[in-house]
């Protein structure tokens, strides 16, 4: 099913038609997450001041220490925002578990055979090989996004566990607090490494423009959905048709009832 | 690191009688938990054969090094060398008690206070220095074994004692590309290799000689494994998006429907 040989009027119709891709809850959670990450990453990097590790430039450390007044205040700010972030994210996941998270995770996170094939082809295509090869149809999220989501979920759990270990310092033996620090660091920066790609693809890469705006409006055009997420698009079509059938059936039944009641 | 003041302990070993009044004074002044001590006294034990016997007691605490190995490893910056006094201090609000610095200190001068989850050590009683008093251990020392003062001030007690000293020993630690330059100057210290601990709480090191700085497995792994891994990962992804971005800039934007 290539999207390349569709007549113009049909294309125009598809470009006009909008399909809902994201729930408002997920959009808000996403942008809350972005805001938290900006605050947490900047302050977190500023905390790491060990000269032996040599991670953070001195001016960055000093800027944040001057901003907050001391090491302790900087750390307090960091973990306060951190706890807020943990609370909101967990709240949204657990409270919205059945309504948002389970459909999200079950339909949008699991890899299938098409995704594996896609992973074999897409990176090569990005490097300029195998241009002739047709990409297998994708679900609401393509295989790259799905793999990213696995990393994010695992690392987020890692961050949420190791952070509080360092905050509630009197409850844990030193060895645990020692291990928690590099784990926290690795989890954060694995996500940050992926973030370069994530942000580029989302905000800068021209083909994915619709995906970027869908993180505000929640909607993508049917044309985009069809081209990028065919499986999901077909699913939506099927649901729409079922809905139409149901409506027609209801209308038929009600008119039938009216007729029968009118006959009395 | 040149600081405004250069505080140092000058300890005359010949004058110490192992009365441990300094330990008590320190613990009372600084609310040190009962099962720890910030300072201690080594007992050399009897040396030589009768009738030529000798015995030395070596008072010991944080050396407030010029180049402290402990501040090198502190991740949050909780352990720092104070810019004015030159003392090595711990900001216990920022400390999480992980113990990286405890392993790094060549003198074993630090301990973890697990009840509060922080690292604690001799602070040279900054709270007393600020109001013009001597540290508690120095103020209480019966035999005037412990002296304390500012070496930048040539008239201070410590400076004068150093000037008039017969012999000065500094238990310096040089290793791992570091030269600690400790600020306890021992007067009349006998052969240090024989001095072992008389261990009050099972907390103090077994020898007066500095041990090599140690790095905990997680600290070393962080430095040698985690940072390179993360750097490679971030470099790769950054490069990837940079390539595509340049490509996009060169080729111009193509919307997918065109």
């Amino acid at each position: 099913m290539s999207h390349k040989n569709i007549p113009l009027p049909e294309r125009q119709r598809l470009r006009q038609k909008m399909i809902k891709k994201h729930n408002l809850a997920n959009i808000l959670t996403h942008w809350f997450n972005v805001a938290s990450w900006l605050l947490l990453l900047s302050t977190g990097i500023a905390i790491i001041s060990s000269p032996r590790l040599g991670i953070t430039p001195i001016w960055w450390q000093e800027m944040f220490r001057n901003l907050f007044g001391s090491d302790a205040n900087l750390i307090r700010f960091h973990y306060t925002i951190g706890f807020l972030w943990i609370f909101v994210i967990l709240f949204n996941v657990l409270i919205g578990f059945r309504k948002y998270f389970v459909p999200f995770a079950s339909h949008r996170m699991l890899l299938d055979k098409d995704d594996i094939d896609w992973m074999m082809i897409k990176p090569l295509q990005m490097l300029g090989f195998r241009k002739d090869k047709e990409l297998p149809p994708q679900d609401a999220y393509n295989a790259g996004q799905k793999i990213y989501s696995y990393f994010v979920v695992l690392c987020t759990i890692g961050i949420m566990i190791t952070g509080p270990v360092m905050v509630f310092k009197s409850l844990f033996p030193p060895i645990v607090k020692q291990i928690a620090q590099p784990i926290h660091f690795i989890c954060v920066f694995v996500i940050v490494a992926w973030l370069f790609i994530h942000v580029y693809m989302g905000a800068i890469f021209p083909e994915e423009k619709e995906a970027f705006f869908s993180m505000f409006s929640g909607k993508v055009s049917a044309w985009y959905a069809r081209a990028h997420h065919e499986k999901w698009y077909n699913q939506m079509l099927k649901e729409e048709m079922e809905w139409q059938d149901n409506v027609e059936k209801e209308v038929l039944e009600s008119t039938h009832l009216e007729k029968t009641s009118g006959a009395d | 690191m040149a600081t405004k003041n250069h505080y140092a302990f000058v300890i005359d070993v010949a004058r110490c009688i192992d009365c441990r009044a300094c330990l008590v004074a320190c613990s009372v002044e600084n609310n040190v938990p009962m099962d720890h001590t910030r300072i201690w006294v080594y007992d050399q034990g009897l040396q030589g054969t009768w009738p030529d016997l000798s015995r030395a007691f070596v008072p010991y605490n944080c050396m407030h090094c010029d180049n402290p190995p402990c501040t090198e490893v502190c991740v949050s910056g909780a352990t720092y060398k104070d810019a004015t006094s030159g003392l090595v201090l711990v900001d216990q609000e920022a400390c999480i008690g992980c113990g990286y610095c405890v392993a790094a200190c060549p003198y074993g001068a630090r301990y973890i206070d697990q009840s509060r989850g922080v690292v604690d050590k001799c602070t040279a009683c900054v709270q007393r220095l600020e109001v013009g008093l001597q540290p508690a251990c120095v103020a209480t020392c019966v035999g005037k074994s412990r002296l304390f003062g500012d070496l930048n001030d040539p008239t201070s007690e410590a400076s004068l004692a150093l000037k008039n000293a017969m012999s000065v020993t500094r238990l310096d630690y040089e290793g791992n590309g570091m030269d600690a330059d400790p600020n306890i100057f021992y007067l009349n210290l006998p052969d240090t290799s024989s001095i072992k601990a008389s261990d009050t709480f099972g907390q103090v090191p077994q020898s007066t000689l500095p041990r090599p700085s140690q790095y905990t497995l997680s600290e070393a792994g962080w430095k040698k494994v985690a940072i390179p891994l993360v750097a490679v990962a971030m470099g790769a992804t950054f490069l990837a998006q940079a390539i595509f971005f340049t490509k996009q800039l060169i080729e111009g934007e193509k919307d997918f429907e065109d």
Side-chain angles (χ1 to χ4, degrees):
Chain A
M1 281 290 290
S2 171
H3 57 271
K4 292 205 167 66
N5 41 20
I6 296 174
L8 186 64
E10 174 67 1
R11 273 193 201 207
Q12 281 167 335
R13 191 186 69 80
L14 285 176
R15 283 177 68 171
Q16 293 301 315
K17 187 184 164 193
M18 296 307 263
I19 299 180
K20 188 177 173 204
K21 192 181 177 187
H22 304 293
N23 289 311
L24 183 62
N26 290 348
I27 293 173
L28 290 177
T29 306
H30 176 265
W31 291 113
F32 170 80
N33 197 33
V34 172
S36 302
W37 267 81
L38 286 175
L39 284 171
L40 290 169
L41 193 61
S42 54
T43 52
I45 291 173
I47 290 169
I48 307 175
S49 60
S50 162
R52 213 177 95 88
L53 296 177
I55 294 166
T56 316
I58 298 289
W59 63 267
W60 186 264
Q61 292 176 31
E62 299 219 325
M63 183 171 80
F64 276 86
R65 276 168 176 65
N66 293 341
L67 194 63
F68 289 99
S70 71
D71 296 272
N73 276 0
L74 174 59
I75 292 168
R76 275 197 204 99
F77 178 83
H78 180 79
Y79 71 63
T80 307
I81 300 289
F83 280 130
L84 183 72
W85 173 76
I86 291 176
F87 174 77
V88 172
I89 298 288
L90 283 187
F91 184 88
N92 289 10
V93 167
L94 296 177
I95 298 297
F97 197 75
R98 284 176 50 204
K99 197 165 180 325
Y100 300 112
F101 189 74
V102 170
F104 184 90
S106 60
H107 296 139
R108 298 186 173 183
M109 275 174 68
L110 298 174
L111 289 168
D112 57 17
K113 195 181 169 309
D114 283 333
D115 291 327
I116 312 263
D117 291 344
W118 188 93
M119 282 309 292
M120 308 291 262
I121 299 166
K122 183 70 182 176
L124 288 175
Q125 280 199 354
M126 290 170 88
L127 294 171
F129 307 107
R130 306 188 69 181
K131 283 288 186 197
D132 51 334
K133 192 100 169 119
E134 191 68 43
L135 280 171
Q138 288 293 291
D139 215 331
Y141 291 98
N142 68 37
Q145 290 167 310
K146 283 179 180 175
I147 286 176
Y148 177 46
S149 75
Y150 286 126
F151 274 92
V152 168
V153 168
L154 279 178
C155 291
T156 300
I157 292 168
I159 292 167
M160 286 180 178
I161 290 171
T162 52
V165 161
M166 293 188 273
V167 175
F168 301 117
K169 51 197 184 186
S170 55
L171 303 181
F172 297 93
I175 184 73
V176 175
K177 289 180 281 191
Q178 284 173 21
I179 295 165
Q181 292 174 77
I183 299 283
H184 199 79
F185 172 84
I186 290 169
C187 287
V188 167
F189 280 93
V190 163
I191 294 185
V192 170
W194 280 96
L195 261 183
F196 289 134
I197 307 279
H198 178 74
V199 170
Y200 172 74
M201 286 297 215
I204 304 163
F205 192 54
E207 280 193 30
E208 295 283 347
K209 228 178 232 159
E210 290 219 18
F212 177 68
F213 289 112
S214 77
M215 276 324 290
F216 299 99
S217 66
K219 293 188 175 69
V220 293
S221 74
W223 172 247
Y224 170 89
R226 197 198 146 115
H228 284 245
H229 307 285
E230 202 169 337
K231 261 194 281 185
W232 172 66
Y233 175 69
N234 293 341
Q235 177 73 21
M236 300 295 278
L237 274 188
K238 211 169 86 186
E239 282 174 17
E240 204 177 358
M241 284 169 174
E242 278 171 9
W243 175 78
Q244 282 177 350
D245 290 347
N246 286 342
V247 171
E248 279 167 2
K249 211 162 70 187
E250 277 176 28
V251 171
L252 270 177
E253 277 171 7
S254 59
T255 49
H256 181 71
L257 278 175
E258 275 170 23
K259 276 179 184 168
T260 49
S261 61
D264 288 344
Chain B
M1 184 174 161
T3 50
K4 182 171 165 287
N5 299 325
H6 185 175
Y7 285 117
F9 286 88
V10 176
I11 296 178
D12 189 343
V13 175
R15 284 176 162 271
C16 178
I17 57 164
D18 198 19
C19 72
R20 314 260 167 127
C22 52
L23 273 70
V24 177
C26 171
S27 296
V28 170
E29 170 68 34
N30 298 300
N31 295 327
V32 179
M34 284 300 281
D35 52 346
H36 289 290
T37 178
R38 286 182 176 186
I39 67 179
W40 60 95
V41 179
Y42 279 112
D43 182 354
Q44 186 192 23
L46 278 177
Q47 297 292 310
T49 50
W50 196 85
D52 302 318
L53 295 173
S54 75
R55 191 174 185 183
F57 305 109
V58 185
Y60 217 83
N61 51 276
C62 171
M63 306 251 171
H64 297 283
C65 306
D66 284 351
N67 306 308
C70 50
T71 60
E72 285 291 306
V73 296
C74 184
V75 176
S76 67
T79 283
Y80 63 101
K81 189 166 177 66
D82 193 74
T84 47
S85 64
L87 297 172
V88 178
L89 302 173
V90 181
D91 177 357
Q92 290 177 334
E93 299 278 344
C95 174
I96 63 162
C98 69
Y100 286 173
C101 59
V102 175
C105 176
Y107 305 101
R110 298 167 157 263
Y111 66 90
I112 295 174
D113 178 358
Q114 192 48 46
S115 65
R116 287 183 299 153
V118 293
V119 166
D120 199 27
K121 65 185 269 300
C122 158
T123 59
C125 292
V126 268
Q127 72 280 16
R128 289 172 64 93
L129 295 184
E130 277 178 3
V131 294
L133 296 168
Q134 294 276 55
C137 56
V138 174
T140 204
C141 184
V142 244
K144 278 259 184 278
S145 167
R146 285 173 169 274
L147 300 171
F148 180 82
D150 183 0
L151 295 188
N152 286 349
D153 169 12
T155 62
S156 73
E157 210 175 6
S159 298
L160 292 176
L162 271 184
K163 207 166 85 177
N164 302 326
M166 304 276 281
S167 76
V168 179
T169 314
R170 211 168 51 149
L171 301 174
D172 200 359
Y173 166 72
E174 293 179 11
N176 286 335
M178 258 181 304
D179 179 4
D181 283 347
N183 280 318
I184 295 185
F185 297 86
Y186 288 105
L187 311 183
N188 309 321
L189 186 70
D191 175 26
T192 50
S193 57
S194 63
I195 293 180
K196 55 189 191 305
S198 85
D199 200 339
T200 321
F201 300 107
Q203 295 288 350
V204 299
Q206 290 304 299
S207 162
T208 49
L209 291 178
R211 58 163 175 78
S213 258
Q214 290 157 3
Y215 302 107
T216 52
L217 185 65
S218 44
E219 211 274 346
W222 190 345
K223 183 175 167 60
K224 296 195 168 68
V225 182
I227 291 180
L229 269 180
V230 157
V232 166
M234 285 174 67
T237 54
F238 185 80
L239 200 68
Q241 68 88 31
I243 288 169
F244 279 97
F245 189 53
T246 9
K247 212 167 108 181
Q248 175 187 331
L249 288 176
I250 292 166
E251 292 178 2
E253 295 201 3
K254 297 201 300 266
D255 281 358
F256 72 94
E257 55 253 52
D258 300 325

